Amino acid sequence: MKMELIIRNGFVFDPINGVKGEKMDIAVRDGKIVERVNERKALEIDASGMLVMPGGVDIHCHIAGSEVNAGRLLRPEDHFKYSERKTATTRSGSGHSVPSTFTTGYRYSRMGYTTIMNPAMPPLMAKHTHKELNDTPMVDKGSFPLLGDWWFVLEHLSNGRIEECARYVAWLMTSTKGYAVKIVNPGGVEAWGFGHNVHSLDEQVPNFNITPREIIRGLCKVNKLLNLPHTIHVHTNNLGKPGNYTTTLETMKCVEDLAADDKPVIHITHCQFSAFKGSDWKTLRSGAEEIARYVNNHSHVTLDMGQVVFTDTTTMTADAPFQYTLHELTGSKWTNQDVETETSVGIVPFRYRRKSYVHAMQWSIGLELALLIKDPWKIFLTTDHPNAGPFTAYPRIISWLMSRRAREATMKKINRRAQSKSLLPSITRELDFYEIAVMTRAGQAKALGLKDKGHLGVGADADIAVYKINPEELDPSRDYKIVRKAFRRAAYTVKGGEIVARNGEILKHVKGATLWLKVKTSQQTKVNEDLKRRFRDYWTVEYENYPVSENSLDISHPINVEAKI
Amino acid sequence: MRTVKHVTCPVCGCLCDDLELTIKDEKVVKVKNGCALCKAKFLGYSKHRVLKPLVRKNGRFFEVSYEEAVSRAAEILTEANYPLLYGWSMTSCEAVSAGIELAEEIGGVIDTTSTLCHGPSTLGIQDVGISSATLGQVRHRADLIVYWGSNPLIAHPRHMERYTIFRKGRFQKEKRKLIVVDVRKTETAETADIFLQIKPNMDYEVLQALRALIRDQELDVDEVAGIPTERLEEIADTMVECRFGALFFGSGLTMTRGKNRNIDAVLSLVSDLNKLTKFIAMPMRGHFNVTGADMILTWQTGYPYAVDFSLGYPRYNPGETSAVDILLREESDAALVVASDPVASLPRKAAEHLAENPLIVVDPHMSATARMADVVLPSTFVGIESGGTAYRMDHVPLPLKKIVEPPEGILSDEEILRIILSEVKRKKAEQMENP
Amino acid sequence: MMNLYPTKKFRFPITAECISPDVFQDKKIEEIRRLTVWEGNKQRILGELFKVKESESETKMVVINIHGDVSRVRRIGAYMTSGQIVIYGNAGMHLGEEMEGGEIIVRGNVGCWAGSMMKGGKIEIYGNAGNYLGAPYRGVNKGMRGGEIVVHGNVGNEAGAYMRRGVIKVYGNAGQFAGLRMQNGTIYVQKDCEARVGACMKDGKIIVSGFLESVLPTFTIEGLKEKVKIENDETAEGPFYLFLGDTAEDGKGKLYVSKTKNPHLNRYEKLL
Ligand code: SF4
Ligand SMILES: [Zn+2]
């Protein structure tokens, strides 16, 4: 039996259970939150004068898998000045924007994060992704297989065979130990197979009788048929191009009719990159207002920020045609890896500069989105790590969201023209700790459909973060630097009921589970026979060698899903 | 008699996973689908086995228990000031993972055989990146195949059949065009549509010339490396005009004059070609899991080979932290060799230094290196007698299978490394208590 | 003035970036002896590996003299911004890496990556230098960004790779790929030079006064020059062929090659 633990007297922010900073105790036994524990025996954390929140949840961060590793390999210059020494409890590692796996886990844990979602898994490379996730300690984790350009999806959807498509997706989700349906520049990635791209929702995908709109709608229907806990997770067409906010609006609109009961049916990821107005880089403007207006008036969408921070980083997405454009734009080195029958990936090192008009606008757009969208349950804090900056920048972003002064301090240092075009000076909103708790854990867990995460109700996983901030004494608007510092190093991080980090020091190396969906459909066998027949035509590996076996996951945490088919 | 299907071949970087093996009395008696190299391995691997751990005392080998051999190995490694852990390309990812932890624990340098074959490819990638793809992408889309300094018919016998020239693909319209560039007319060159025989050690000049030509630059010279400029212009046109080109390069490019700069040039050429068409490049990795060793080192440490833990954190700088250079400078004072036979492949001086210092070998065979060793730990054949994961040359991970039982009592590389690791930890804890 | 004497012949790599005037500054000799260094995988103090002695000096500048063979000692003078290091013997890799100011003088040979990514100051080597003189770390595309390196002997491959500013003068021979991917700055080789000089250069100036094995096919002849300026008061006497390149990167770097020492290049003259 694991130890009992009680966290006393903290100011608890637990949005899912409506707790908004009340002083209370949190009791833990066997890795779960419980009603009460034996107070004399339980280990005690004195959290008086501190914030207590559910452990952080990250809905979108590229921390593991073939593309991340290709990024690591590409960039020794990213690592050699960012080394972490081996200690009695921790493994060594290196890396700034693409850290090695052990280091990634420790850095998340130091910030009080306990669950993360790795949003881009080429299905053929799923074994690789899971091996890396096995080596990413301290956090529970899941991965989203890239399905928007998979030939099976394109073919079945173009023939209107939604149910059959759903069966294949169910098979693939379970075989690759995936967690959600990821769609990246639908159609464009397939077109990239011959060096092309698609440019609107209604352009025909070369060689396939389908359009991006049909892919998005089709997979949205599939997602609903399968009852998956998260919505489709979409990286829009035209990402990173001036004027693309209209594509984003259209993308959200195109599934409007598929929504019911005020439930989200689509997640637009790293929305900052898809909220550009203007016709070229010179005339770039923010499309945040238009997007926020739409989101404020609809309930079928969630978003995450993809907030830019000014630093050297590594961009990596399955949107390989976009990455190629970035390579041409910057002249930086470029890695591309197309994956047969499924997807692709591109990687380009990148530095966001304060003095660049475009980069400064991007910085502003991310924050505008977060502040103009009224409901924090609809937009989450991410940097699309490492695309807009490494996840270690989250505390800085929290301080921008909570403090106008923090925003102004940065605003003073950015490109002049961007200062005059930014909408930020007109925005007075400053988020409070409750809203931060929603955007960094509760909202993300809810959007992911993670029932035991992101809250501190009885029965929840005992993943808890304690921060050295006294919300009664501290004014985050003024003392934003203290806020930043406190979120950088949690006073305590509790994972699965154990104290794993204290004041930034890792006390215990724990593995963390891999979350995946075991999707049950009524007719599974038929899929397999058809699959086997076509497998050799589509891939260059044997059908039997394709799936990820459950015992290859160090700690497997299957989530049963009953499909409607 | 029984048959096992969908077996992954533990020989070369093609990692064919469609073998069908017939087993009789725990021996492989028939191999279906495999090439000659594959058959030779499955049918002949069990010769020259070591079946007992050996420890050298007073110049002679004595058979001992695993326990004693491991204890001696751990002693050597804990005492060393700059130990080298070398090999890793012919074993499973799981064994490499244990090896990395061991290297970190003892403050050693871990390096793979990449250092002798495609290390320069990695350096080239780190300078300019690589436009690449999985082999299936080539199969479905390529209409132009280039082999440069590589002779797949001999070294990767099923590469052309499974992935490039002879395999049918979805978007393939006609027979694919094959260009071979080499310094001699190889077996593969015999089958080429275009064979470009260039003067030895001048690949760099040819590659740069092609790069300039696809940019429509004029050259001042009439020939490059023995090839008339006009001919090069034709080649450049062929490359530009294809729909999807795939260029594969081997040690004929990585290990000849210019080394990583040849790769820098070839990758730059392919990258440049993407302005005009679709083109990808891929190193023809030799040993079956050298790619896997690169991958796992990269995700655990940030660096793909030549990783030095002597300061307690990973550092990487081939030339400084690479095995051959360390041995040539005579810096290491102990070595652990796993799944490799460096005495047979390293420069003589480097091999001598390796043998002069305490040497531990983990290998199923009595290899040339094992014969020089102080401790020999016999292991299973990975992919035959024990399972795991390996990576194909295009980074696709595939399962290795345990097909037959190993000889009684013989442990896998991974198991051996794990017990050395725990013995090292035990010894270090002991030293902490009574220094 | 601090004097360091190796206490033994080093067998393992020694990492000692603490041997720098910036670190020694304002430290008592006892503190200097206690500075951390690494011998292989063992942490040591400087005083274990070197006898440290103080001697009189006239200047206020921090001067470190190293007497003996330190060819296995790496990173001497890394990041230094001022002062002087004089090495009476051979020195190891990464000498003066990323240095910003001050001076290093070596009365012997140095290993690879001397002056790597240097930003300012001066390194003068009386013997030979290894590969990657002034060149950057793996994957970095910024080489030397300022300062000066003078080598009286020969240098290995890739001297001045990725150079952005500054001057490298080699009074001996140079290996392959001198000035690889350079963007600016000046490289002067007084004697002979192996092939592939200026490969992928975008801009900047390379002068070869001796025999050059071959010019890359991606350089075009531009003219003949009587003499070329190396820096302020130093010029190289010609005549020189002037080539522009590397056209493989649409570069416009200038490569000057001695006419008299390179009769094999006179076929280019017909293009002038
Ligand atoms: S080509 Fe290579 S992997 Fe395939 S069967 Fe032959 S040796 Fe084995
Ligand atoms: Zn992303």
Side-chain angles (χ1 to χ4, degrees):
Chain A
M1 194 191 83
K2 280 186 195 165
M3 200 164 36
E4 294 188 338
L5 178 71
I6 183 153
I7 302 170
R8 279 202 192 279
N9 269 324
F11 297 98
V12 176
F13 285 87
D14 179 10
I16 287 179
N17 295 303
V19 182
K20 301 187 179 183
E22 285 104 44
K23 244 189 213 176
M24 50 196 273
D25 298 346
I26 303 288
V28 171
R29 184 189 311 121
D30 292 341
K32 294 277 181 188
I33 310 278
V34 291
E35 205 69 65
R36 63 176 63 80
V37 288
N38 182 336
E39 302 200 357
R40 274 174 302 147
K41 281 194 193 154
L43 184 73
E44 184 180 311
I45 291 177
D46 179 6
S48 37
M50 298 193 208
L51 289 183
V52 178
M53 289 185 181
V57 178
D58 197 338
I59 198 167
H60 191 113
C61 53
H62 303 257
I63 54 146
S66 51
E67 94 278 22
V68 179
N69 217 33
R72 292 187 191 104
L73 185 126
L74 179 66
R75 301 208 63 198
E77 79 277 15
D78 176 81
H79 320 329
F80 79 122
K81 291 195 175 161
Y82 295 86
S83 305
E84 297 205 8
R85 209 176 272 281
K86 170 184 158 41
T87 69
T89 44
T90 63
R91 300 286 304 271
S92 65
S94 72
H96 167 62
S97 66
V98 269
S100 50
T101 50
F102 305 123
T103 300
T104 299
Y106 303 141
R107 286 188 190 161
Y108 263 112
S109 191
R110 285 186 192 119
M111 299 194 308
Y113 272 69
T114 48
T115 303
I116 51 178
M117 286 291 158
N118 185 52
M121 173 164 76
L124 181 61
M125 309 298 208
K127 286 192 191 70
H128 178 135
T129 307
H130 288 296
K131 279 198 154 292
E132 281 199 31
L133 289 178
N134 280 342
D135 283 345
T136 307
M138 318 306 286
V139 286
D140 292 339
K141 49 248 160 176
S143 272
F144 307 163
L146 291 151
L147 298 179
D149 294 81
W150 181 27
W151 289 356
F152 278 55
V153 165
L154 301 184
E155 286 166 0
H156 285 293
L157 292 182
S158 76
N159 293 324
R161 294 197 295 258
I162 302 283
E163 293 212 354
E164 246 177 295
C165 184
R167 279 190 204 98
Y168 282 113
V169 169
W171 167 81
L172 189 125
M173 194 63 71
T174 305
S175 301
T176 61
K177 306 292 176 275
Y179 189 84
V181 173
K182 177 75 182 293
I183 304 169
V184 172
N185 183 8
V189 175
E190 163 52 38
W192 178 245
F194 284 115
H196 307 296
N197 198 356
V198 296
H199 307 90
S200 80
L201 278 184
D202 297 307
E203 193 176 320
Q204 283 282 316
V205 179
N207 299 312
F208 290 85
N209 184 26
I210 197 165
T211 63
R213 181 188 303 275
E214 288 161 350
I215 299 172
I216 297 167
R217 284 182 60 81
L219 282 172
C220 188
K221 289 178 196 164
V222 162
N223 205 78
K224 289 178 71 185
L225 276 179
L226 294 178
N227 249 333
L228 304 185
H230 183 35
T231 60
I232 51 170
H233 193 101
V234 180
H235 162 135
T236 64
N237 298 105
N238 287 330
L239 179 135
K241 289 188 198 138
N244 63 10
Y245 81 105
T246 53
T247 311
T248 308
L249 289 173
E250 271 183 74
T251 305
M252 296 189 285
K253 273 183 204 151
C254 93
V255 291
E256 226 177 273
D257 63 313
L258 302 178
D261 318 326
D262 278 355
K263 274 215 207 108
V265 291
I266 188 168
H267 179 84
I268 304 288
T269 190
H270 36 73
C271 192
Q272 172 270 129
F273 289 111
S274 300
F276 298 169
K277 234 197 238 174
S279 49
D280 56 28
W281 293 117
K282 279 204 198 79
T283 58
L284 179 80
R285 297 286 184 280
S286 167
E289 256 179 324
E290 285 78 358
I291 289 178
R293 194 176 311 128
Y294 182 88
V295 174
N296 286 336
N297 287 317
H298 292 83
S299 51
H300 69 290
V301 198
T302 57
L303 313 175
D304 67 84
M305 292 166 74
Q307 175 60 37
V308 160
V309 286
F310 300 110
T311 182
D312 187 86
T313 193
T314 311
T315 63
M316 52 175 69
T317 84
D319 194 347
F322 164 67
Q323 293 296 120
Y324 181 71
T325 313
L326 209 55
H327 157 66
E328 291 224 291
L329 212 62
T330 60
S332 296
K333 55 188 176 183
W334 165 63
T335 281
N336 180 85
Q337 170 88 348
D338 296 347
V339 179
E340 62 206 61
T341 316
E342 297 171 352
T343 184
S344 184
V345 61
I347 303 158
V348 179
F350 200 87
R351 178 180 278 278
Y352 290 99
R353 295 172 198 279
R354 286 202 206 101
K355 298 297 172 197
S356 148
Y357 171 69
V358 172
H359 304 171
M361 283 304 286
Q362 287 186 273
W363 169 78
S364 179
I365 292 169
L367 293 172
E368 291 164 19
L369 281 168
L371 295 164
L372 292 173
I373 292 173
K374 291 180 190 137
D375 182 357
W377 295 90
K378 286 183 179 170
I379 180 153
F380 313 128
L381 193 162
T382 68
T383 57
D384 186 16
H385 164 85
N387 283 293
F391 64 81
T392 42
Y394 291 173
R396 182 173 292 274
I397 300 170
I398 291 174
S399 70
W400 284 327
L401 293 172
M402 296 191 82
S403 162
R404 262 192 101 175
R405 278 175 216 236
R407 300 199 285 269
E408 277 160 11
T410 304
M411 185 67 94
K412 269 190 263 166
K413 296 189 216 147
I414 66 171
N415 176 284
R416 280 280 175 79
R417 206 156 71 84
Q419 285 180 25
S420 69
K421 303 292 180 215
S422 167
L423 308 176
L424 280 180
S426 66
I427 303 174
T428 51
R429 188 174 169 205
E430 292 180 327
L431 302 190
D432 58 23
F433 287 115
Y434 176 82
E435 288 167 311
I436 291 296
V438 175
M439 287 182 73
T440 57
R441 42 267 285 164
Q444 311 216 16
K446 187 175 165 220
L448 287 164
L450 286 168
K451 299 245 154 33
D452 301 335
K453 305 280 184 198
H455 72 104
L456 299 173
V458 169
D461 290 344
D463 297 348
I464 308 162
V466 181
Y467 299 104
K468 231 175 244 158
I469 293 173
N470 186 333
E472 283 186 344
E473 287 170 6
L474 181 124
D475 172 7
S477 172
R478 201 188 54 227
D479 300 324
Y480 63 88
K481 284 189 179 159
I482 299 176
V483 171
R484 194 194 300 163
K485 203 174 144 207
F487 278 103
R488 226 173 247 161
R489 292 175 181 280
Y492 295 92
T493 305
V494 175
K495 176 81 197 71
E498 292 180 275
I499 303 173
V500 291
R502 187 179 56 212
N503 296 328
E505 189 194 348
I506 302 297
L507 301 181
K508 191 169 181 203
H509 175 114
V510 294
K511 279 244 169 206
T514 300
L515 312 167
W516 59 281
L517 304 182
K518 207 176 215 170
V519 189
K520 286 208 186 77
T521 53
S522 54
Q523 308 164 296
Q524 252 162 343
T525 41
K526 197 179 144 241
V527 172
N528 281 357
E529 269 153 36
D530 183 33
L531 252 182
K532 275 189 180 178
R533 195 167 45 73
R534 288 161 68 184
F535 213 90
R536 281 220 171 99
D537 293 338
Y538 280 31
W539 284 275
T540 51
V541 302
E542 298 289 293
Y543 169 78
E544 286 74 8
N545 292 330
Y546 186 83
V548 177
S549 66
E550 189 175 354
N551 62 22
S552 70
L553 307 178
D554 279 356
I555 301 180
S556 168
H557 189 320
I559 293 162
N560 289 311
V561 176
E562 292 286 343
K564 287 186 222 154
I565 45 157
Chain B
M1 289 260 265
R2 61 190 165 97
T3 57
V4 194
K5 290 182 181 173
H6 323 293
V7 173
T8 304
C9 172
V11 179
C12 88
C14 286
L15 218 61
C16 306
D17 68 331
D18 59 345
L19 309 182
E20 217 179 293
L21 305 181
T22 311
I23 321 287
K24 201 181 159 189
D25 305 329
E26 286 308 290
K27 276 213 171 78
V28 181
V29 292
K30 199 170 145 218
V31 181
K32 209 176 129 191
N33 294 341
C35 69
L37 297 178
C38 161
K39 285 185 178 146
K41 168 107 180 199
F42 276 105
L43 302 174
Y45 73 90
S46 55
K47 289 172 199 146
H48 313 293
R49 282 305 277 269
V50 202
L51 293 169
K52 273 281 186 191
L54 304 172
V55 167
R56 193 184 293 277
K57 290 173 196 159
N58 305 321
R60 279 188 47 216
F61 274 136
F62 290 86
E63 287 191 355
V64 297
S65 64
Y66 267 114
E67 211 183 354
E68 191 180 334
V70 163
S71 171
R72 178 74 192 112
E75 191 177 279
I76 291 170
L77 295 173
T78 348
E79 279 168 12
N81 290 287
Y82 201 56
L84 176 64
L85 292 79
Y86 180 79
W88 311 106
S89 52
M90 301 277 275
T91 187
S92 68
C93 289
E94 291 73 12
V96 178
S97 185
I100 296 169
E101 196 172 348
L102 179 61
E104 185 191 52
E105 188 65 42
I106 60 174
V109 177
I110 182 164
D111 197 6
T112 73
T113 56
S114 278
T115 225
L116 290 177
C117 55
H118 278 282
S121 306
T122 302
L123 296 177
I125 292 169
Q126 290 172 338
D127 276 321
V128 299
I130 181 170
S131 162
S132 200
T134 64
L135 289 160
Q137 190 79 346
V138 177
R139 167 197 171 188
H140 288 304
R141 297 178 201 257
D143 55 351
L144 174 66
I145 304 288
V146 184
Y147 287 107
W148 195 305
S150 142
N151 187 9
L153 279 181
I154 300 303
H156 299 81
R158 295 181 72 205
H159 197 266
M160 293 166 84
E161 145 200 341
R162 270 173 66 81
Y163 310 120
T164 64
I165 298 296
F166 306 118
R167 186 77 182 264
K168 281 237 158 6
R170 178 171 190 147
F171 302 116
Q172 185 191 356
K173 295 203 182 106
E174 51 201 24
K175 193 175 164 287
R176 306 178 214 257
K177 194 173 266 178
L178 173 62
I179 301 179
V180 172
V181 186
D182 218 314
V183 296
R184 63 178 185 91
K185 192 151 192 183
T186 61
E187 291 77 357
T188 310
E190 300 277 356
T191 71
D193 299 297
I194 301 173
F195 171 50
L196 210 56
Q197 183 164 8
I198 60 174
K199 283 186 191 153
N201 289 319
M202 294 200 70
D203 303 75
Y204 188 82
E205 280 73 10
V206 177
L207 288 164
Q208 288 292 91
L210 287 171
R211 290 186 64 204
L213 290 173
I214 68 160
R215 287 171 189 246
D216 291 330
Q217 298 273 13
E218 295 285 327
L219 300 188
D220 278 7
V221 292
D222 305 329
E223 58 93 20
V224 179
I227 312 288
T229 304
E230 275 161 34
R231 184 102 197 285
L232 286 178
E233 275 165 3
E234 284 166 29
I235 304 277
D237 287 345
T238 309
M239 288 178 153
V240 169
E241 281 158 15
C242 77
R243 198 164 161 230
F244 185 117
L247 188 154
F248 298 91
F249 55 94
S251 47
L253 197 58
T254 62
M255 282 292 143
T256 53
R257 191 173 193 225
K259 288 194 163 179
N260 52 312
R261 292 304 158 200
N262 294 340
I263 309 311
D264 169 336
V266 81
L267 297 179
S268 297
L269 169 66
V270 167
S271 191
D272 293 351
L273 278 162
N274 279 280
K275 278 197 187 71
L276 307 160
T277 181
K278 176 90 185 182
F279 228 103
I280 69 106
M282 196 184 302
M284 294 286 279
R285 304 307 299 266
H287 296 313
F288 76 89
N289 197 27
V290 67
T291 309
D294 280 14
M295 287 294 102
I296 199 161
L297 268 159
T298 304
W299 84 61
Q300 292 194 355
T301 73
Y303 309 113
Y305 69 107
V307 179
D308 182 334
F309 284 106
S310 62
L311 305 192
Y313 56 86
R315 286 182 308 140
Y316 161 82
N317 191 19
E320 177 183 1
T321 60
S322 38
V324 181
D325 304 273
I326 286 170
L327 291 167
L328 288 175
R329 290 193 302 263
E330 304 187 344
E331 287 165 349
S332 60
D333 60 346
L336 168 74
V337 171
V338 180
S340 170
D341 193 6
V343 165
S345 54
L346 285 176
R348 195 178 49 85
K349 234 195 101 194
E352 274 170 18
H353 183 75
L354 188 74
E356 270 164 25
N357 287 285
L359 174 62
I360 305 150
V361 171
V362 180
D363 205 298
H365 276 136
M366 200 61 199
S367 63
T369 309
R371 276 193 282 275
M372 305 284 197
D374 297 278
V375 181
V376 180
L377 289 147
S379 63
T380 57
F381 275 95
V382 177
I384 303 177
E385 298 165 343
S386 56
T389 311
Y391 278 68
R392 203 163 72 179
M393 62 168 72
D394 58 352
H395 300 186
V396 173
L398 285 161
L400 299 166
K401 281 203 179 77
K402 174 175 173 174
I403 297 150
V404 295
E405 284 298 325
E408 208 183 310
I410 298 292
L411 303 176
S412 70
D413 293 336
E414 187 193 355
E415 288 165 323
I416 293 169
L417 290 160
R418 290 268 165 223
I419 52 175
I420 298 178
L421 178 62
S422 57
E423 182 62 14
V424 164
K425 283 186 178 165
R426 202 188 58 77
K427 282 202 156 67
K428 277 174 71 176
E430 219 174 69
Q431 279 173 12
M432 292 277 270
E433 273 164 32
N434 359 278
Chain C
M1 195 186 294
M2 283 296 163
N3 295 283
L4 304 181
Y5 303 85
T7 51
K8 60 181 173 190
K9 186 169 166 8
F10 299 127
R11 153 140 202 223
F12 305 109
I14 310 290
T15 307
E17 59 190 43
C18 66
I19 305 181
S20 155
D22 299 68
V23 179
F24 280 25
Q25 190 150 35
D26 302 327
K27 283 204 175 60
K28 295 201 196 74
I29 189 160
E30 266 319 304
E31 291 171 300
I32 289 172
R33 284 191 183 115
R34 279 200 303 275
L35 290 168
T36 301
V37 292
W38 288 81
E39 181 179 25
N41 57 18
K42 303 287 186 290
Q43 199 173 326
R44 308 263 188 241
I45 56 170
L46 192 66
E48 282 179 87
L49 302 184
F50 291 91
K51 200 155 70 177
V52 185
K53 274 194 188 162
E54 201 164 0
S55 64
E56 287 295 309
S57 105
E58 282 134 46
T59 73
K60 283 186 87 180
M61 181 171 79
V62 182
V63 177
I64 305 172
N65 295 317
I66 305 177
H67 308 265
D69 180 19
V70 286
S71 57
R72 299 221 160 180
V73 183
R74 298 179 187 169
R75 310 187 65 79
I76 295 172
Y79 310 111
M80 73 187 259
T81 62
S82 64
Q84 191 187 49
I85 300 178
V86 186
I87 302 171
Y88 300 92
N90 299 333
M93 294 182 206
H94 305 284
L95 176 91
E97 184 157 300
E98 292 191 66
M99 78 187 268
E100 291 178 18
E103 190 182 20
I104 302 179
I105 299 166
V106 186
R107 306 242 164 227
N109 303 327
V110 299
C112 303
W113 290 281
S116 174
M117 300 177 279
M118 123 183 224
K119 296 193 188 112
K122 184 175 179 184
I123 300 180
E124 185 152 16
I125 298 158
Y126 284 88
N128 303 325
N131 297 330
Y132 312 109
L133 181 76
Y137 178 68
R138 304 290 178 190
V140 177
N141 62 11
K142 287 195 185 85
M144 196 165 155
R145 274 181 277 175
E148 184 174 7
I149 305 180
V150 181
V151 181
H152 294 273
N154 306 327
V155 301
N157 294 338
E158 299 196 17
Y162 291 93
M163 186 168 189
R164 300 234 169 163
R165 269 173 70 179
V167 183
I168 295 181
K169 289 186 284 188
V170 180
Y171 292 115
N173 307 318
Q176 286 184 71
F177 292 107
L180 172 90
R181 288 189 188 273
M182 74 189 274
Q183 299 197 358
N184 215 328
T186 305
I187 299 176
Y188 171 62
V189 181
Q190 196 176 60
K191 289 190 182 150
D192 303 345
C193 201
E194 283 181 53
R196 290 139 187 197
V197 61
C200 296
M201 75 192 284
K202 287 258 173 69
D203 209 334
K205 183 161 75 177
I206 304 176
I207 306 153
V208 182
S209 282
F211 172 74
L212 174 62
E213 189 184 337
S214 61
V215 173
L216 280 170
T218 48
F219 278 71
T220 55
I221 186 93
E222 177 70 13
L224 275 164
K225 291 273 150 149
E226 274 316 307
K227 57 183 173 189
V228 190
K229 188 172 140 190
I230 303 170
E231 57 173 340
N232 309 329
D233 45 1
E234 209 173 338
T235 40
E237 292 300 324
F240 290 102
Y241 293 116
L242 167 60
F243 293 90
L244 295 184
D246 184 337
T247 61
E249 298 262 346
D250 301 331
K252 47 182 183 349
K254 294 192 176 75
L255 169 63
Y256 297 92
V257 187
S258 162
K259 175 173 152 61
T260 39
K261 293 277 172 55
N262 292 285
H264 64 294
L265 298 180
N266 64 20
R267 62 195 156 87
Y268 280 98
E269 283 176 30
K270 67 176 191 290
L271 296 170
L272 285 171

